[in-house]
Amino acid sequence: MRVLVDRLWPRGLSKDRAAVDQWLRDLAPSDSLRKWFHARTEAWPVFRKRYLKELARPESAQALNELYRLANQPKKLTLLFASKNEEQNNAVVLKDLLEGMRKPPTGSGPRRRPGGARPSSEKNAEVRTALST
């Protein structure tokens, strides 16, 4: 299952070539946050915290619930994004949510279940790029 988690379609990438199964636009950071982080890539912890706060808003709830539902399916879930920065982007934050959290926290670090156990969705989530060519 390939899910695009950006608000805009990646430039120069055809829909056939991307092979996207679902596009969850409402999981993308706001335009203002995206532009802010683009100008300050060294501020990853601040971006992460602000993005998690955005995900806690009611307008993100339906898309976030859909992402959790997809993560619990037997198919492997691949989160697609168009950022050239593969280590610091919204898909990485979403993957962290799937691996250790049910709802966006008020902090910025992943939270583990008691005993360090990971939810079953972790084995199905991975992050891949969908960069334009």
Side-chain angles (χ1 to χ4, degrees), residues 4-9 15 23-29 63:
L4 179 62
V5 293
D6 279 345
R7 192 163 312 279
L8 303 173
W9 190 264
K15 291 189 181 193
W23 186 5
L24 297 177
R25 292 178 185 113
D26 292 335
L27 289 180

Side-chain angles (χ1 to χ4, degrees), residues 26-83:
D26 292 335
L27 289 180
S30 64
D31 286 339
S32 61
L33 181 58
R34 181 183 53 79
K35 289 175 184 175
W36 176 87
F37 181 58
H38 185 70
R40 296 167 190 81
T41 55
E42 74 285 351
W44 169 246
V46 177
F47 167 81
R48 182 181 167 76
K49 187 173 185 176
R50 289 179 182 181
Y51 179 48
L52 287 167
K53 283 183 181 182
E54 286 187 358
L55 288 173
R57 294 179 184 164
E59 51 270 20
S60 300
Q62 185 176 0
L64 198 53
N65 285 335
E66 178 64 8
L67 183 65
Y68 286 122
R69 187 188 72 74
L70 293 170
N72 286 312
Q73 300 296 314
K75 286 184 172 184
K76 183 176 278 191
L77 176 64
T78 302
L79 302 177
L80 304 169
F81 59 93
S83 174

